[in-house]
């Protein structure tokens, strides 16, 4: 009998290998766009709905990330883990399909031409994600999509434009995750288990941030890097991280 634990890690490893071997150039192009924005004193916004919010949050402020990335965290898009009650799963299921809401979110963040927006969406078909992609481009921003082409290319858009995220974005990074996301089968259980899209998109997020830092250094720019304060060097780490926060505030203050 196959060990499902080993099977899951084998699936995850094979999907990471797919991204590593097929998406390298796309990730590099994405990093150059991010570096362009940060080098020009602009910002790289990151966003996702549902589980897509998790890689967006990972981009800053987190150990190994750099100032200039700016997650957009919309509480109605991420609090569905409560399932019932305030901001539960039913509210999330409704709101992420409502056109116009994505534009309202962006209007609260004072975007500038030259900013970049990274959108994480497994399906790439829902209204809020498409709203944000189209509006960001209309405002002169570059749009990077981290999405699943096997899913999105075989599923109709739920946006009035008829577009899917991969058809809109300037750079598309394909996770290669199958339509169902979960891929492990258990005898006697109809539905598959073992989702992998979140693990892959978080890996892609950190690859983009790391490659952006490298690109900035190549250009003679020292990025502001977050360091781990939970060591014997807590005082110096906290001091450095406070400088990173101040750098983000400097970029925001001029808007």
């Amino acid at each position: 009998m196959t060990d499902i634990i080993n099977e899951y890690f084998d699936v995850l490893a094979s999907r990471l290998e797919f991204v590593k071997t097929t998406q390298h150039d796309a990730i590099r192009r994405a990093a150059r766009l991010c570096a362009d924005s940060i080098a020009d004193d602009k910002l790289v916004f990151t966003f996702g709905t549902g589980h897509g919010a998790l890689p967006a949050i990972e981009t800053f402020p987190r150990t190994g990330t750099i100032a200039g990335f700016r997650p957009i965290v919309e509480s109605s898009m991420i609090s569905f883990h409560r399932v019932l009650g305030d901001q539960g799963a039913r509210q999330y299921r409704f709101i992420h399909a409502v056109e116009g809401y994505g534009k309202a979110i962006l209007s609260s963040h004072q975007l500038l031409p030259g900013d970049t927006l990274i959108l994480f969406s497994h399906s790439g078909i829902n209204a809020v994600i498409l709203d944000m992609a189209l509006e960001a481009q209309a405002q002169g921003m570059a749009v990077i999509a981290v999405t699943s082409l096997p899913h999105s290319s075989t599923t109709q858009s739920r946006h009035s434009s008829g577009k899917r995220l991969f058809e809109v974005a300037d750079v598309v990074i394909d996770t290669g995750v199958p339509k169902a996301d979960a891929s492990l089968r258990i005898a006697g259980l109809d539905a598959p288990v073992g989702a992998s899209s979140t693990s892959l998109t978080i890996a892609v997020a950190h690859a983009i941030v790391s490659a952006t830092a490298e690109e900035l250094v190549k250009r003679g720019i020292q990025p502001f890097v977050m360091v781990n304060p939970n060591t014997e060097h807590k005082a110096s780490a906290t001091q450095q991280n406070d400088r990173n926060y101040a750098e983000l505030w400097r970029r925001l203050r001029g808007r």
Side-chain angles (χ1 to χ4, degrees):
M1 184 176 180
T2 302
D3 186 314
I4 196 166
I5 298 169
N6 289 341
E7 187 181 355
Y8 177 76
F9 284 115
D10 287 344
V11 167
L12 189 60
S14 69
R15 290 180 181 166
L16 281 168
E17 185 64 21
F18 167 83
V19 173
K20 175 185 172 184
T21 56
T22 68
Q23 302 303 301
H24 178 278
D25 290 349
I27 293 171
R28 181 65 69 186
R29 290 196 302 275
R32 288 183 183 130
L33 288 174
C34 295
D36 288 345
S37 293
I38 293 172
D40 193 32
D41 248 8
K42 300 299 195 308
L43 292 167
V44 178
F45 291 93
T46 61
F47 180 81
T49 69
H51 300 287
L54 301 179
I57 291 169
E58 283 280 301
T59 59
F60 190 83
R62 197 232 188 277
T63 299
T65 62
I66 63 175
F69 284 83
R70 176 67 168 167
I72 297 174
V73 183
E74 190 71 12
S75 59
S76 61
M77 297 280 131
I78 196 172
S79 299
F80 64 96
H81 62 283
R82 299 176 183 176
V83 182
L84 301 174
D86 296 344
Q87 295 184 341
R90 289 177 176 83
Q91 293 94 309
Y92 164 74
R93 193 165 58 192
F94 172 82
I95 201 69
H96 83 156
V98 175
E99 282 195 41
Y101 193 56
K103 287 186 178 182
I105 293 170
L106 287 182
S107 70
S108 295
H109 290 272
Q110 304 216 355
L111 311 177
L112 294 175
D115 287 337
T116 295
L117 176 63
I118 306 177
L119 293 169
F120 298 91
S121 176
H122 176 67
S123 69
I125 63 170
N126 285 304
V128 168
I129 288 290
L130 270 300
D131 270 354
M132 294 183 77
L134 293 167
E135 180 64 17
Q137 285 184 328
Q139 294 194 33
M141 297 173 65
V143 174
I144 298 163
V146 182
T147 190
S148 164
L149 289 183
H151 186 139
S152 196
S153 64
T154 58
T155 309
Q156 287 188 336
S157 173
R158 295 174 180 168
H159 190 266
S160 62
S161 68
K163 299 288 187 181
R164 294 159 292 188
L165 181 58
F166 76 90
E167 296 171 305
V168 174
D170 300 290
V171 175
V172 176
I173 300 168
D174 176 21
T175 64
V177 175
K179 199 169 188 175
D181 194 351
S183 302
L184 305 182
R185 292 286 178 179
I186 299 173
L189 185 64
D190 290 338
V193 298
S196 61
S197 62
T198 304
S199 298
L200 288 169
T201 53
I202 288 175
V204 168
H206 284 293
I208 293 172
V209 173
S210 300
T212 301
E214 180 185 54
E215 183 67 29
L216 289 168
V217 171
K218 286 179 181 177
R219 301 181 191 187
I221 300 168
Q222 283 294 308
F224 289 74
V225 182
M226 298 295 297
V227 295
N228 190 346
N230 297 313
T231 70
E232 65 275 19
H233 305 295
K234 179 181 178 180
S236 61
T238 299
Q239 186 177 38
Q240 179 169 333
N241 290 339
D242 283 344
R243 287 197 297 268
N244 300 336
Y245 299 144
E247 169 62 11
L248 178 62
W249 175 240
R250 183 189 68 79
R251 290 169 183 261
L252 289 168
R253 191 168 49 209
R255 292 178 176 246

PDB file of all heavy atoms in Angstrom, residues 2 54-55 59 109 119 127 160 177 182 212:
ATOM      1  N   THR A   2       0.548   2.197  -0.847  1.00  0.00           N
ATOM      2  CA  THR A   2       1.321   3.437  -0.938  1.00  0.00           C
ATOM      3  C   THR A   2       1.166   4.258   0.344  1.00  0.00           C
ATOM      4  O   THR A   2       0.072   4.388   0.889  1.00  0.00           O
ATOM      5  CB  THR A   2       0.832   4.277  -2.127  1.00  0.00           C
ATOM      6  OG1 THR A   2       0.955   3.513  -3.316  1.00  0.00           O
ATOM      7  CG2 THR A   2       1.654   5.546  -2.260  1.00  0.00           C
ATOM      8  N   LEU A  54      -2.335  34.184   1.050  1.00  0.00           N
ATOM      9  CA  LEU A  54      -1.203  33.740   1.861  1.00  0.00           C
ATOM     10  C   LEU A  54       0.145  34.040   1.205  1.00  0.00           C
ATOM     11  O   LEU A  54       1.034  34.585   1.867  1.00  0.00           O
ATOM     12  CB  LEU A  54      -1.356  32.253   2.198  1.00  0.00           C
ATOM     13  CG  LEU A  54      -2.643  31.907   2.964  1.00  0.00           C
ATOM     14  CD1 LEU A  54      -2.728  30.412   3.236  1.00  0.00           C
ATOM     15  CD2 LEU A  54      -2.716  32.682   4.272  1.00  0.00           C
ATOM     16  N   PRO A  55       0.357  33.727  -0.075  1.00  0.00           N
ATOM     17  CA  PRO A  55       1.627  34.135  -0.686  1.00  0.00           C
ATOM     18  C   PRO A  55       1.783  35.641  -0.762  1.00  0.00           C
ATOM     19  O   PRO A  55       2.902  36.165  -0.659  1.00  0.00           O
ATOM     20  CB  PRO A  55       1.590  33.497  -2.078  1.00  0.00           C
ATOM     21  CG  PRO A  55       0.154  33.209  -2.346  1.00  0.00           C
ATOM     22  CD  PRO A  55      -0.433  32.898  -0.996  1.00  0.00           C
ATOM     23  N   THR A  59       5.227  38.264   1.190  1.00  0.00           N
ATOM     24  CA  THR A  59       6.224  39.082   0.491  1.00  0.00           C
ATOM     25  C   THR A  59       6.817  40.205   1.327  1.00  0.00           C
ATOM     26  O   THR A  59       7.868  40.745   0.981  1.00  0.00           O
ATOM     27  CB  THR A  59       5.629  39.683  -0.797  1.00  0.00           C
ATOM     28  OG1 THR A  59       4.484  40.485  -0.477  1.00  0.00           O
ATOM     29  CG2 THR A  59       5.246  38.592  -1.792  1.00  0.00           C
ATOM     30  N   HIS A 109      -5.516  52.465  -2.087  1.00  0.00           N
ATOM     31  CA  HIS A 109      -4.071  52.272  -1.958  1.00  0.00           C
ATOM     32  C   HIS A 109      -3.228  53.264  -2.761  1.00  0.00           C
ATOM     33  O   HIS A 109      -2.028  53.101  -2.880  1.00  0.00           O
ATOM     34  CB  HIS A 109      -3.710  50.835  -2.326  1.00  0.00           C
ATOM     35  CG  HIS A 109      -4.195  49.857  -1.305  1.00  0.00           C
ATOM     36  ND1 HIS A 109      -3.462  49.506  -0.197  1.00  0.00           N
ATOM     37  CD2 HIS A 109      -5.367  49.179  -1.205  1.00  0.00           C
ATOM     38  CE1 HIS A 109      -4.138  48.648   0.538  1.00  0.00           C
ATOM     39  NE2 HIS A 109      -5.309  48.434  -0.050  1.00  0.00           N
ATOM     40  N   LEU A 119      -0.593  39.295  -8.660  1.00  0.00           N
ATOM     41  CA  LEU A 119      -1.860  38.675  -8.289  1.00  0.00           C
ATOM     42  C   LEU A 119      -1.689  37.158  -8.224  1.00  0.00           C
ATOM     43  O   LEU A 119      -1.215  36.540  -9.181  1.00  0.00           O
ATOM     44  CB  LEU A 119      -2.945  39.034  -9.299  1.00  0.00           C
ATOM     45  CG  LEU A 119      -3.362  40.509  -9.314  1.00  0.00           C
ATOM     46  CD1 LEU A 119      -4.237  40.804 -10.520  1.00  0.00           C
ATOM     47  CD2 LEU A 119      -4.087  40.884  -8.026  1.00  0.00           C
ATOM     48  N   ALA A 127     -14.176  37.662 -10.268  1.00  0.00           N
ATOM     49  CA  ALA A 127     -14.366  39.079 -10.573  1.00  0.00           C
ATOM     50  C   ALA A 127     -13.358  39.992  -9.898  1.00  0.00           C
ATOM     51  O   ALA A 127     -12.820  40.904 -10.539  1.00  0.00           O
ATOM     52  CB  ALA A 127     -15.793  39.495 -10.182  1.00  0.00           C
ATOM     53  N   SER A 160     -17.172  40.125 -16.538  1.00  0.00           N
ATOM     54  CA  SER A 160     -17.880  40.593 -17.740  1.00  0.00           C
ATOM     55  C   SER A 160     -16.943  40.806 -18.927  1.00  0.00           C
ATOM     56  O   SER A 160     -17.389  40.806 -20.072  1.00  0.00           O
ATOM     57  CB  SER A 160     -18.629  41.896 -17.430  1.00  0.00           C
ATOM     58  OG  SER A 160     -17.718  42.917 -17.057  1.00  0.00           O
ATOM     59  N   VAL A 177      -0.448  23.425 -11.503  1.00  0.00           N
ATOM     60  CA  VAL A 177      -1.289  22.604 -10.622  1.00  0.00           C
ATOM     61  C   VAL A 177      -2.575  22.217 -11.357  1.00  0.00           C
ATOM     62  O   VAL A 177      -3.214  23.051 -11.990  1.00  0.00           O
ATOM     63  CB  VAL A 177      -1.621  23.368  -9.330  1.00  0.00           C
ATOM     64  CG1 VAL A 177      -2.593  22.569  -8.458  1.00  0.00           C
ATOM     65  CG2 VAL A 177      -0.347  23.666  -8.554  1.00  0.00           C
ATOM     66  N   ALA A 182      -6.213  19.468  -5.313  1.00  0.00           N
ATOM     67  CA  ALA A 182      -5.916  18.247  -4.560  1.00  0.00           C
ATOM     68  C   ALA A 182      -5.738  17.082  -5.533  1.00  0.00           C
ATOM     69  O   ALA A 182      -6.446  16.989  -6.533  1.00  0.00           O
ATOM     70  CB  ALA A 182      -7.046  17.960  -3.583  1.00  0.00           C
ATOM     71  N   THR A 212      14.326  39.651  -7.135  1.00  0.00           N
ATOM     72  CA  THR A 212      14.244  41.115  -7.152  1.00  0.00           C
ATOM     73  C   THR A 212      15.402  41.721  -6.371  1.00  0.00           C
ATOM     74  O   THR A 212      16.034  42.694  -6.813  1.00  0.00           O
ATOM     75  CB  THR A 212      12.904  41.590  -6.561  1.00  0.00           C
ATOM     76  OG1 THR A 212      11.821  41.047  -7.328  1.00  0.00           O
ATOM     77  CG2 THR A 212      12.812  43.107  -6.554  1.00  0.00           C
TER      78      THR A 212
END
